[in-house]
Amino acid sequence: MGGRRLALGALGLVLGLLTAGTISASAADPLVSRGKAVTASSIEGTGFEASKAVDGSTSTRWASVEGHDPEWLRVDLGTAHTISRVKLNWEAAYAKAYRVQTSPDGSAWTDVYSTTTGDGGVDDLTLSGSGRYVRIYGTARGTSYGYSLWELEVYGVDGGTTPPTTTTTPPTTTTAPPSGLGYPFGSRQQPYAAGILRPSGSTSALDAAVVDYYQRWKSAFVRHNCNSAWTQVLATDADHTYVAEAQGYGMVVVATMAGADPDAKRIFDGFVKWKIDHPSSIDPDLMAAEQDDSCRSVNGSDAATDGDMDVAYGLLLADRQWGSAGTYNYKQLAIKHINAIKRSEINPSTNLLRPGDWADSGDPRYYVTRSSDWMADHFRAFRKATGDSAWDTIRTAHQNLIKTMQQNFAPNTGLLPDFVERTNSTPRPPAGEVLEDPNDGKYWWNACRVPWRIGADAATSGDATSLAAARKLNTWVKSKTGGNPGNIKVGYQLNGTQISSDVSEAYTAPFAVAAATDPGSQAWLDALWNKMVATPIGGNDYFASSIQLQVMITVTGNHWVP
């Protein structure tokens, strides 16, 4: 546009007045966006990261994936600002229709400019608004490519007002964060333990890769079937259309991605309604584990521990993220769910998790536990939320069992079996099928998640037991594969003997979290990261894709414990 939009046209002026108040010419206001934290809905590839749009160079640029609408670029100014001017220097891949938006919290957005007749070039917009975040939200591309900006420049002054959040907080809830979001994605408010690695590259590039993968994961698997008020993760490769494990993953992921996804709260509330409407037939404060194509609970309508652990954790994330004064009291629901896990899915004599609320004292699996359920960071969050010291005892029991199993059955590998039996006497891997598969006693389709689960606690807590267990796994797999992630295979005996020649990101990705715990594994972590970024999402591979997404969140420093 060659700078001819020095002031709003008639349409833009009306929209600006309606949405942002009186327009003030503020040519003298300083540039406040250069070098600030910036994220994008996607990137075309290496070299086109979001940070390139605020680096002050007109020879570098951000570019979104090609052929997709909508896409966005968001800059975090660090504090609330009064915004007077936004200058957009478009590359050839420009936006025909886009909005300039501001937000106090990265979640609720206000349009301060909108057009459907963009023609590229330079858009130099005088406008009026306030907020900590400024977003360019493209809804229609001007070409068949994507959206691309040489530079995004935001001008204004520090100290813009942020509208207060008014809440009525019941006694059992957490007050809604004043900013509207407690932990917007990318804020990294909870630092990791000393020495924990991240993949090489800028923070903005890492975040952009996570957001890109999240958007593709959401498109492939998140649904609102049977009832528009419900949200589900479609478990394309599970035994049933919907499983509790998938819904738990969805709740944790979506609550974590708030700030990057403006629809996160609406999507999350759909998960909550699904949970409420699908109670376990045994303990109704837990969630029924399996549903069919018609969204009806099936196969006994009882609960599965892995799903319940993540559902409770997701509710705690939501309470810290949005507060509990909205449609659902997340904190109250979380505490009910946590207490039900303790009541119906913990063995009171061993303090170990059972596979589900159905594994009662009359069931032969009463003294069986599944290694991928041992989520120490979840136990820590449950302790904090409830004030119940039993969760410290429960966490310690699981960490002691990890140590025992590694020492007695995998001294050279650190690998854990899918299940452990005889937990009331001498714990051991089962010789054959105990619940799901003849390989229940091997490192198989449940235990493949263990390096991620143990590593997540090591990274966030610095716990010595978790660190030792994660590093043992990392040392073995790095040596076993010769530092090549492509050599990680599907399944191992506990002594490290390969079971299958197949490969899956369900096995590859979790080792990235273990790698992050070892200060000497930067090159190995980078290789694992690059493998993940290069792996497309398969529409029939919900399990591996969901695990990889959560691993990407964790290794980029975006995992936090409520």
Side-chain angles (χ1 to χ4, degrees):
M1 288 189 178
R4 67 179 162 86
R5 190 167 283 160
L6 293 174
L8 291 174
L11 174 61
L13 177 60
V14 172
L15 286 171
L17 289 169
L18 287 174
T19 59
T22 305
I23 293 182
S24 58
S26 305
D29 283 349
L31 174 64
V32 294
S33 56
R34 184 160 297 169
K36 294 297 178 66
V38 61
T39 55
S41 53
S42 70
I43 60 171
E44 182 182 337
T46 303
F48 302 104
E49 295 83 4
S51 60
K52 298 293 196 294
V54 294
D55 62 0
S57 171
T58 55
S59 62
T60 61
R61 60 187 175 93
W62 162 68
S64 72
V65 295
E66 296 183 355
H68 182 262
D69 297 307
E71 297 286 348
W72 51 261
L73 182 73
R74 184 193 74 181
V75 62
D76 178 0
L77 303 178
T79 60
H81 281 64
T82 296
I83 310 302
S84 59
R85 177 185 173 204
V86 170
K87 185 177 179 180
L88 306 173
N89 187 349
W90 295 103
E91 195 255 349
Y94 68 93
K96 181 178 180 181
Y98 69 91
R99 301 194 292 269
V100 179
Q101 302 172 312
T102 60
S103 172
D105 53 25
S107 179
W109 295 94
T110 298
D111 291 352
V112 293
Y113 175 77
S114 177
T115 184
T116 59
T117 58
D119 57 3
V122 175
D123 291 349
D124 198 341
L125 312 173
T126 301
L127 42 77
S128 179
S130 65
R132 171 176 169 172
Y133 300 87
V134 176
R135 182 169 73 171
I136 312 305
Y137 192 85
T139 55
R141 289 164 288 117
T143 70
S144 61
Y145 300 105
Y147 298 85
S148 185
L149 281 166
W150 293 110
E151 281 294 295
L152 160 64
E153 295 180 351
V154 179
Y155 295 81
V157 292
D158 198 351
T161 57
T162 299
T165 301
T166 303
T167 60
T168 302
T169 308
T172 59
T173 68
T174 297
T175 303
S179 67
L181 279 180
Y183 286 81
F185 176 78
S187 62
R188 293 177 177 81
Q189 297 179 51
Q190 183 179 103
Y192 283 5
I196 300 300
L197 303 175
R198 292 182 192 167
S200 298
S202 68
T203 297
S204 59
L206 297 177
D207 285 353
V210 177
V211 171
D212 173 61
Y213 198 87
Y214 166 72
Q215 295 288 358
R216 289 185 281 134
W217 171 85
K218 189 170 73 165
S219 176
F221 304 112
V222 175
R223 298 290 184 271
H224 301 280
N225 292 339
C226 304
N227 181 334
S228 61
W230 285 339
T231 304
Q232 317 97 348
V233 171
L234 191 64
T236 50
D237 46 333
D239 291 339
H240 294 83
T241 308
Y242 312 105
V243 295
E245 163 198 274
Q247 313 324 313
Y249 287 165
M251 293 176 77
V252 171
V253 165
V254 170
T256 303
M257 296 303 297
D261 183 353
D263 291 328
K265 190 175 188 301
R266 178 184 63 83
I267 295 169
F268 188 90
D269 282 354
F271 282 122
V272 176
K273 182 165 176 56
W274 175 271
K275 165 208 147 32
I276 292 171
D277 291 348
H278 295 84
S280 169
S281 59
I282 296 175
D283 189 328
D285 287 336
L286 300 174
M287 185 169 69
E290 297 162 324
Q291 288 78 35
D292 62 15
D293 287 344
S294 300
C295 302
R296 296 171 301 193
S297 294
V298 294
N299 200 24
S301 301
D302 44 29
T305 300
D306 53 355
D308 285 319
M309 290 284 290
D310 275 335
V311 166
Y313 192 80
L315 287 164
L316 291 177
L317 292 173
D319 173 61
R320 294 294 297 278
Q321 192 71 277
W322 296 296
S324 285
T327 303
Y328 297 107
N329 188 324
Y330 304 129
K331 183 70 172 292
Q332 188 177 70
L333 288 169
I335 290 175
K336 287 178 66 176
H337 213 99
I338 292 165
N339 290 338
I341 292 171
K342 180 184 174 185
R343 176 173 65 239
S344 298
E345 292 178 332
I346 294 286
N347 188 307
S349 64
T350 64
N351 289 305
L352 297 171
L353 288 164
R354 295 180 271 147
D357 60 356
W358 50 268
D360 59 20
S361 58
D363 190 280
R365 277 72 55 99
Y366 187 57
Y367 292 107
V368 168
T369 185
R370 177 170 39 220
S371 61
S372 54
D373 296 354
W374 307 345
M375 309 171 197
D377 57 348
H378 289 40
F379 296 142
R380 294 182 199 277
F382 297 171
R383 168 67 165 92
K384 181 178 179 181
T386 63
D388 185 352
S389 62
W391 288 107
D392 291 333
T393 303
I394 291 166
R395 174 177 52 80
T396 301
H398 287 88
Q399 291 182 302
N400 288 340
L401 184 56
I402 291 170
K403 190 185 303 182
T404 296
M405 297 302 295
Q406 286 188 328
Q407 289 175 348
N408 294 345
F409 298 97
N412 298 318
T413 68
L415 296 170
L416 299 182
D418 274 13
F419 294 91
V420 176
E421 63 179 3
R422 297 189 180 183
T423 57
N424 60 327
S425 55
T426 305
R428 70 179 191 185
E433 182 174 348
V434 71
L435 182 61
E436 294 182 2
D437 189 279
N439 288 321
D440 279 352
K442 300 173 184 176
Y443 185 82
W444 199 231
W445 285 100
N446 284 293
C448 65
R449 296 170 283 188
V450 163
W452 155 42
R453 294 302 195 183
I454 293 176
D457 182 65
T460 52
S461 73
D463 181 273
T465 300
S466 293
L467 280 168
R471 288 170 177 170
K472 190 176 189 68
L473 286 160
N474 180 62
T475 298
W476 168 77
V477 75
K478 186 165 61 168
S479 174
K480 176 74 174 180
T481 61
N484 181 357
N487 292 333
I488 298 174
K489 304 300 181 181
V490 170
Y492 295 92
Q493 297 180 31
L494 299 191
N495 65 6
T497 300
Q498 181 180 315
I499 295 174
S500 166
S501 61
D502 293 337
V503 295
S504 170
E505 286 306 303
Y507 285 80
T508 306
F511 281 114
V513 188
T517 68
D518 178 9
S521 289
Q522 185 67 60
W524 171 233
L525 173 59
D526 288 345
L528 288 159
W529 173 258
N530 292 334
K531 176 73 164 57
M532 288 190 287
V533 171
T535 300
I537 285 180
N540 293 319
D541 204 1
Y542 126 80
F543 185 70
S545 298
S546 299
I547 291 171
Q548 175 172 310
L549 174 56
Q550 292 173 91
V551 166
M552 292 175 73
I553 288 169
T554 299
V555 298
T556 56
N558 284 300
H559 179 64
W560 50 278
V561 182

